[in-house]
Amino acid sequence: MLDVVAILSFVVLFSLSVFYVYGCENLKGKRK
Amino acid sequence: MSLNGWLQIAVFIATVLLLAKPMGGYLTRVFERRRTFLDPVLVPCERLLYRLTGVNPEEEMRWTQYAVAMLIFSAATLLLTYIVERLQNLLPLNPQHLPGVESALALNTAISFTTNTNWQSYVPESTMSYLTQMLGLATHNFWSAAVGIALAIAFIRGISRREANTLGNFWVDLTRATLWVLLPISTVLALALVSQGVVQNLRPYDTVKLVEPQKVTDAHGTVTTVATQTIAQGPVASQEAIKMLGTNGGGFFNGNSAHPFENPTPLSNFLQMLAIFLIPAGLTVTLGQMVGSPKHGWAVLGAMVVLWFAGTTTCYWAESQANPLMHGVDQHVSSLQAGGNMEGKEVRFGVANSALFATVTTDASCGAVNSAHDSYMPLGGLVPMANILLGEIVFGGVGAGMYGMLVFVVASVFIAGLMVGRTPEYLGKKIEAYDVQMSMLYLLIFPLIILGFSSVSVLMPNLGLSSLTNHGPHGLSEILYAYTSATGNNGSAFAGLSANTHWYNYSLGAAMFFGRFMMIIPMLAVAGNLARKKIVPASAGTFPVTTPLFTVLLIGVILIVGALTFFPVLSLGPVLEHLLLRAGHAF
């Protein structure tokens, strides 16, 4: 069970990181 | 302090500075894909790797693609380490028949090694099999260091390129950092360490009879006689070399670089410290060469040397002081003893090489230790903590130190621009609102994670205080150091905090993850934005970034940002402990 939680944590954290990448990129677009 | 100690420190920094230029020149050649003496052997290996993985080495990446490739690589390797840890009892090379690693600890360790932190909430020799050490951990020592170098090179390209949308190819930079830089140097270093007595084998642990059997009383009052001792073995030298060169710091043994099988002699100690600074020092020269302003690289290196010297001097001075509460104990320097505070230090290294090692390992994001930082005098222990709190940009971790320093450079140039009332420029690139926003995001995430998690740990006794063995300001320092070390991806620890609890495993894991990736991404955003810009010619109002004035401004910005952010908590921890020690209280 804890393995499932750990692997889900990986997936969620790295997915959020990808959103963060494009969030930083979009911030520039909105400021212009 | 002694002349002997200062001479050793002087020889160390002189060697680092002598090697900076050849190392930096070599790094420039590698990442500009110019010819090197290793090409006949490594180019075929590189081509084979690209063919097997389907990588097109000529394809350039925008900063977003570069960041996503880095995240995919980190996620895949993190998962591999987690699986190897969990299944080590079913896998080969486990002569001690160690069980699979518990889930929370495996998660913490996988994040720790993926992020170049190497925080260890476990005793390696009784927890990790040889296969886990080699396939799960040592490989990450290469990969996480190579990722750091690749990111630093990407940032430098962002500064040097004109009106470009791309920063290079992550897979190519990763491959070349591993094959051309880390593998050859760590191979040579591993052999040098073996020559000094560092072990390298796959044998089961030795069991030897004690000369004097010991009687031990357990918690229930039962007395047993211990007549044998287990001596751990393993492929240590190969892991030790990349542990230092890659500024990883995770020890093969619990004693880390204080263990005689990891660091047996003063020469092995010197080589290990040199390995920590070798690539970070070289990268300053690479910066100067790739942006076409060698003097700028030297100016950045100058700031690093000044901050290193201040830290080393303070730590060496603090540790050379006698502990005022040790009444009747001779703590003076003499031909028979190192003098000063020798608690937690190895006699073969003494005060000078312990203080120097502690400063070097926390200037960079290494985290290897050859002495117990927890046993340092309060102001001596403040130095390693402050080095990490400044962002580990004094030489810094391989790559991570360079891109961290460059974010401070952007902030310095911005402040200089404000002072003279002109649009700030950095090597001909105008620094605009977006660059400053991303730089500030980078600089603010760091204290937010450290102070946030530390506060929760202190305020929730069941979570953070239940595994703390010291109280008062020293206890606060132990908690603060743990989150500082995790967020800074350093990995060294104050002892006294048992971090193998669910709270600390998960929260420190989160701190390591956010401290790595949440800071890399805004840094790459700045690099990507800089690459797109035109170069404007220098004018009378341009602030030069090649002069001693720039070096002083850079040091000032680093110290002011660090001091203003962390002074309140440091005053409640090590500073208060120092004052109370003088008043006769110990914690």
Side-chain angles (χ1 to χ4, degrees), chain A residues 1-7 9-10 13-14 16-18 20-29 31-32, chain B residues 63-64 67-68 71 74-75 78-79 82 86 103 107 434 437-438 441 445 506 513-514 518 521-522 529 532:
Chain A
M1 180 61 192
L2 282 174
D3 288 321
V4 176
V5 173
I7 290 168
S9 307
F10 296 159
L13 283 173
F14 279 105
L16 285 175
S17 301
V18 173
Y20 182 50
V21 170
Y22 288 99
C24 286
E25 176 69 349
N26 290 339
L27 186 66
K28 179 174 172 56
R31 288 277 169 183
K32 268 203 163 178
Chain B
W63 84 261
T64 48
V68 171
L71 287 170
S74 300
L78 189 151
L79 191 61
Y82 181 80
R86 294 287 288 145
S103 175
L107 176 69
Y434 181 75
Q437 286 163 359
M438 289 296 111
L441 187 58
I445 283 172
Y506 286 124
F513 185 91
F514 294 132
M518 297 302 103
I521 290 165
N529 199 44
R532 292 178 189 136

Side-chain angles (χ1 to χ4, degrees), chain B residues 469-522:
Chain B
T469 51
N470 296 91
H471 60 284
H474 195 75
L476 176 64
S477 294
E478 288 170 350
I479 292 173
L480 180 66
Y481 195 102
Y483 287 107
T484 302
S485 176
T487 311
N489 296 156
N490 183 274
S492 63
F494 262 25
L497 175 68
S498 300
N500 192 11
T501 65
H502 274 85
W503 164 248
Y504 279 113
N505 275 330
Y506 286 124
S507 64
L508 288 168
M512 289 185 274
F513 185 91
F514 294 132
R516 174 84 162 178
F517 299 112
M518 297 302 103
M519 292 174 71
I520 282 174
I521 290 165

Side-chain angles (χ1 to χ4, degrees), chain B residues 24-36 39 153 156-157 160-161 172-173 176 285-292:
Chain B
Y26 177 71
L27 289 168
T28 306
R29 297 188 77 81
V30 168
F31 291 104
E32 289 188 340
R33 301 176 79 171
R34 290 192 256 151
R35 189 162 176 76
T36 71
D39 284 10
I153 296 297
I156 294 171
R157 287 196 193 110
S160 65
R161 291 186 174 180
V172 172
D173 292 338
R176 294 185 77 84
V285 177
T286 306
L287 166 71
Q289 290 178 345
M290 286 181 72
V291 302

